[in-house]
Amino acid sequence: RALSDRLASGLRKTSDTDVLKLKVVLVGPPRAGKTSLVRRHVLGAFDDAYRATLGTNVYKWTGPIDVGARRVRVGMTVWDVAGESRASEALLDLHLVGAQGVLAVCDVTDPASAADLAPWTSAAARIAGDVPVHVLLNKGDLGPRDDALLAGIEAGRTRVAPCYVTSAKTGDNVAAA
């Protein structure tokens, strides 16, 4: 409910249509599948080939969502931040400024990946403030490891963030997240 209220406060009226502009930032360690997740959601595509993100890729998605009892048109920019950006705190800070949401992504087959989320979620809280954070435990189609799943859930619990086991390959929970 608080999220719906926060989103509703950002609505702009364009003729008879409510339009919501959002900036969402994907953060997390390298090889967690951030680019694959955003490509699945925005482009409806998946590619098995790994290509490291250099810097940041910005994607745009437009579509309807429900905010409270209203259907709203959303214009969302999704910032896919390179996994190595943590090394450059100033660069990460720039990406997080003005974010209305953060998706913290880890690899649910690798417990070290989930353990690496803490610096990312801390930076999000410090720079973006009290914005919604969701933890995406990606690569669920590969069979989650119990220790990685628990580490990811713990990362979400410390930030009181919803957790989703996602699969960029199959699309499971990508739109929900």
Side-chain angles (χ1 to χ4, degrees), residues 44-67:
F46 177 79
D47 184 354
D48 280 47
Y50 175 74
R51 291 174 206 81
T53 300
L54 302 174
T56 302
N57 292 323
V58 179
Y59 296 81
K60 184 171 182 165
W61 178 84
T62 304
I65 65 166
D66 293 322
V67 176

Side-chain angles (χ1 to χ4, degrees), residues 81-107:
V81 177
E84 296 301 328
S85 286
R86 189 174 57 167
S88 171
E89 235 179 89
L91 186 59
L92 179 60
D93 290 359
L94 285 174
H95 297 321
L96 288 166
V97 168
Q100 283 96 8
V102 174
L103 298 174
V105 182
C106 67
D107 178 347

Side-chain angles (χ1 to χ4, degrees), residues 117-127 159:
L117 285 182
W120 296 96
T121 57
S122 294
R126 182 173 42 81
I127 301 303
R159 184 63 205 262

